[in-house]
Amino acid sequence: GENVEQHPSTLSVQEGDSAVIKCTYSDSASNYFPWYKQELGKRPQLIIDIRSNVGEKKDQRIAVTLNKTAKHFSLHITETQPEDSAVYFCAASFTGTSYGKLTFGQGTILTVHP
Amino acid sequence: GAVVSQHPSWVICKSGTSVKIECRSLDFQATTMFWYRQFPKQSLMLMATSNEGSKATYEQGVEKDKFLINHASLTLSTLTVTSAHPEDSSFYICSARAGGPGELFFGEGSRLTVL
């Protein structure tokens, strides 16, 4: 089955700095890669996703890049703000079946200091 | 976006009792729902895939007789933790996809504490 590795486990930045979180996946058939933000005790919220037919996607301060050959993808947050502090999870799935179950990375605790 | 509602949001029970958690898709039909378990400061671990009208597919290491899943309609899946023990205490989250491949929508989660 799919295995997703995520690094770093914790990331501390100053407000205004950029933050980068990296993930690798094992199953070359995976073709959908979402990123979720989870605040303490709450449900994961999708912040951005990318499919295997594109290499990069951007939404305001958030961007994701995908390298299919190397089987890794990254989340980039620019101009970080204290409200960006949360746990971020990457995930991977193969959507070729009706199931398309997601496999999550271990999570990154991002702390943005004012 | 699509809405997935989970109930109860938290429950405390005595060891040996059973607890049922409901997951509903409010504005879409979900032939497939997923049940995840999350321990404190850890990732979401897929427990099982719930299929409407058929048996659930359990991940390796998950006891199907302990975690009973029923998906009787296109909008409701239930997870029953049978004979709960303190080690079953966790955050249980369901999710569903609103048609086609892509974004998974998550329920609010249910925090189970077994005394």
Side-chain angles (χ1 to χ4, degrees):
Chain A
E2 176 65 277
N3 182 51
V4 179
E5 296 288 331
Q6 182 173 346
H7 298 281
S9 57
T10 60
L11 180 59
S12 182
V13 300
Q14 289 296 127
E15 183 176 2
D17 288 349
S18 295
V20 180
I21 303 171
K22 298 182 179 182
C23 289
T24 60
Y25 60 99
S26 62
D27 190 349
S28 57
S30 289
N31 58 0
Y32 176 64
F33 308 93
W35 286 87
Y36 285 86
K37 175 183 180 181
Q38 187 181 29
E39 296 178 353
L40 189 63
K42 296 190 176 181
R43 75 182 90 190
Q45 298 276 9
L46 179 73
I47 57 172
I48 196 167
D49 57 11
I50 191 168
R51 299 183 188 276
S52 59
N53 58 345
V54 298
E56 184 174 358
K57 184 177 179 180
K58 188 174 182 179
D59 182 5
Q60 300 184 338
R61 296 188 296 110
I62 296 172
V64 57
T65 58
L66 171 65
N67 183 325
K68 285 191 296 181
T69 303
K71 289 189 285 187
H72 67 70
F73 55 113
S74 300
L75 176 71
H76 304 253
I77 305 175
T78 60
E79 301 173 31
T80 54
Q81 302 165 3
E83 49 265 39
D84 293 330
S85 298
V87 182
Y88 290 81
F89 292 98
C90 64
S93 75
F94 172 59
T95 59
T97 70
S98 59
Y99 296 162
K101 62 183 182 181
L102 281 177
T103 301
F104 284 85
Q106 296 87 344
T108 297
I109 301 172
L110 174 64
T111 304
V112 181
H113 299 282
Chain B
V3 179
V4 176
S5 179
Q6 202 170 326
H7 178 82
S9 55
W10 58 270
V11 58
I12 301 173
C13 70
K14 293 182 179 180
S15 186
T17 60
S18 295
V19 174
K20 180 184 284 188
I21 301 170
E22 293 186 348
C23 178
R24 294 181 184 274
S25 55
L26 298 187
D27 52 359
F28 66 99
Q29 294 182 332
T31 55
T32 303
M33 290 184 175
F34 304 93
W35 286 95
Y36 288 86
R37 181 175 181 175
Q38 186 177 34
F39 290 109
K41 298 184 179 181
Q42 293 191 24
S43 187
L44 292 91
M45 300 300 297
L46 181 66
M47 298 176 65
T49 302
S50 171
N51 306 300
E52 188 268 335
S54 64
K55 292 182 179 180
T57 303
Y58 290 82
E59 294 299 302
Q60 191 173 8
V62 178
E63 299 176 58
K64 61 180 181 180
D65 294 331
K66 179 163 186 65
F67 299 100
L68 299 179
I69 291 174
N70 184 274
H71 194 154
S73 78
L74 288 172
T75 59
L76 174 64
S77 176
T78 61
L79 168 68
T80 301
V81 183
T82 62
S83 186
H85 291 285
E87 56 265 31
D88 298 324
S89 299
S90 188
F91 193 51
Y92 293 88
I93 312 178
C94 69
S95 65
R97 187 168 277 117
E103 181 178 359
L104 267 186
F105 295 92
F106 285 86
E108 304 95 324
S110 299
R111 184 162 301 284
L112 170 64
T113 301
V114 184
L115 303 177

